[in-house]
Amino acid sequence: MKMTDPNNDMLDDLFAEVRSVAPEPSEDLIARVLADAVAPLPKPVVPPPSLFTRALDLIGGWPAAGGLVAATMTGLWVGVAPPAAVEDLTASLLGDQVSVGFFTDDFGFDIGTTVDG
Amino acid sequence: MNTISDPFAGAPDAALLVAFANGDGDAARLLTARLLPRVLAQATRMLANAAEAEDVAQEAMIRLWKIAPDWQQGQAQVSTWLYRVVANLCTDRLRKRRGGVSLDQVAEPQDDAPSVAEKMQTNARMQALSDALAQLPERQAQAVALRHLEGLANPEIAQIMDISVRSVESLTARGKRALADIMAGRKAELGYEDD
């Protein structure tokens, strides 16, 4: 059900007329647009990292290396001068005499000698 | 232009854009030949001012050149992206007009320029429509222009404006009604007589 709407008809005519407008770009405009078409510079080439840097990168770079060193030093420290709790634990596990049944007697190992010291 | 072995013949715009980003000068020329007329036409229809339309067209192409290195193929069409950029640049310009231009203003022909009556009338009508678009909320103006001046279908407009198809329908209906009301008083002046 379409009511005749002269205003709408006028607008439709106007739209059609404007739709048909298709200006040709001037040579000047084309030249300006092409002058603007400068491709961005390629990304700068970074020299490839040395073998050492690459190995370091594998474990996470200097921060991780620092952590590794710290952990290693801590491990050494714990071994050389263990905190009391560790000492007790070690003593309870190993002590002076240890008998840990890793293997049955059938294997013929002398447990005493393998875990001594 | 070598027409025998044109490697870009039939290549989609996005492929040309990638080639341009990789430094291909032919790609830039071909993209300009394809896209600049469309961009200029869209701007001219919305703004009805040749100088402003050229500024918008040049700016839209600058933005295209800038985005070329980051263009993701397959995500969007270059044409969709350009429609959006031009529509936004045009409504920016129309917004600046809102305070100043009175609806009575009609483009004056130059005294010394030979004027064809029909061409004058088309110019006056275009100007009147552009000024009326400037009176609308920007999203309505964009939707109406894309639908009725560019002749695009609602799903494409929805993509361009990043809204639902239903929103497009609502915006175009309201925008068209508002335009009809604004233009109603200028019918005789613009040569639309009741037959």
Side-chain angles (χ1 to χ4, degrees), chain A residues 6-8 10-15 17-19 21 23-26 29-30 32-34 36-40, chain B residues 20 28-29 32 37 40 44-45 54 58 61-62 65 69 122 125-126 129 148-149 176 179-180 183-184 187 192:
Chain A
N7 287 342
N8 218 41
M10 172 193 73
L11 206 51
D12 287 337
D13 284 347
L14 180 52
F15 286 152
E17 197 169 341
V18 174
R19 259 201 308 276
V21 170
E24 197 69 41
S26 64
L29 178 60
I30 294 170
R32 281 186 272 144
V33 168
L34 285 174
D36 292 331
V38 177
Chain B
F20 159 73
R29 272 185 290 278
T32 301
L40 181 64
T44 304
R45 291 174 195 139
E54 287 202 352
Q58 188 177 358
M61 294 302 286
I62 285 174
W65 303 139
T122 300
R125 288 174 177 179
M126 277 186 69
L129 178 61
H148 295 292
L149 301 185
K176 200 179 169 196
L179 279 181
M183 300 290 289
K187 273 176 74 178
Y192 291 104

Side-chain angles (χ1 to χ4, degrees), chain B residues 111-155:
Chain B
D111 287 338
D112 53 333
S115 46
V116 176
E118 276 183 4
K119 188 163 185 277
M120 271 176 65
Q121 191 171 65
T122 300
N123 285 346
R125 288 174 177 179
M126 277 186 69
Q127 184 69 54
L129 178 61
S130 181
D131 290 341
L133 280 172
Q135 306 285 321
L136 298 185
E138 288 182 15
R139 300 291 265 171
Q140 278 185 23
Q142 286 192 2
V144 167
L146 291 169
R147 178 81 184 80
H148 295 292
L149 301 185
E150 298 307 307
L152 300 178
N154 287 344

Side-chain angles (χ1 to χ4, degrees), chain A residues 78-79 82-98 100 117:
Chain A
V78 168
V86 177
E87 241 178 356
D88 291 341
L89 181 63
T90 316
S92 69
L93 283 178
L94 300 177
D96 295 323
Q97 287 167 352
V98 112
V100 180

Side-chain angles (χ1 to χ4, degrees), chain A:
Chain A
M1 178 173 54
K2 189 182 179 235
M3 310 230 314
T4 359
D5 183 348
N7 287 342
N8 218 41
D9 292 342
M10 172 193 73
L11 206 51
D12 287 337
D13 284 347
L14 180 52
F15 286 152
E17 197 169 341
V18 174
R19 259 201 308 276
S20 69
V21 170
E24 197 69 41
S26 64
E27 291 298 327
D28 182 56
L29 178 60
I30 294 170
R32 281 186 272 144
V33 168
L34 285 174
D36 292 331
V38 177
L41 293 171
K43 292 198 170 73
V45 178
V46 179
S50 67
L51 187 62
F52 176 72
T53 314
R54 275 189 280 152
L56 203 55
D57 280 344
L58 273 176
I59 59 166
W62 278 114
L68 256 186
V69 171
T72 311
M73 296 310 293
T74 307
L76 255 178
W77 183 252
V78 168
V80 165
V86 177
E87 241 178 356
D88 291 341
L89 181 63
T90 316
S92 69
L93 283 178
L94 300 177
D96 295 323
Q97 287 167 352
V98 112
S99 177
V100 180
F102 289 120
F103 307 104
T104 65
D105 291 336
D106 293 339
F107 277 93
F109 280 111
D110 188 350
I111 297 298
T113 53
T114 49
V115 296
D116 187 69

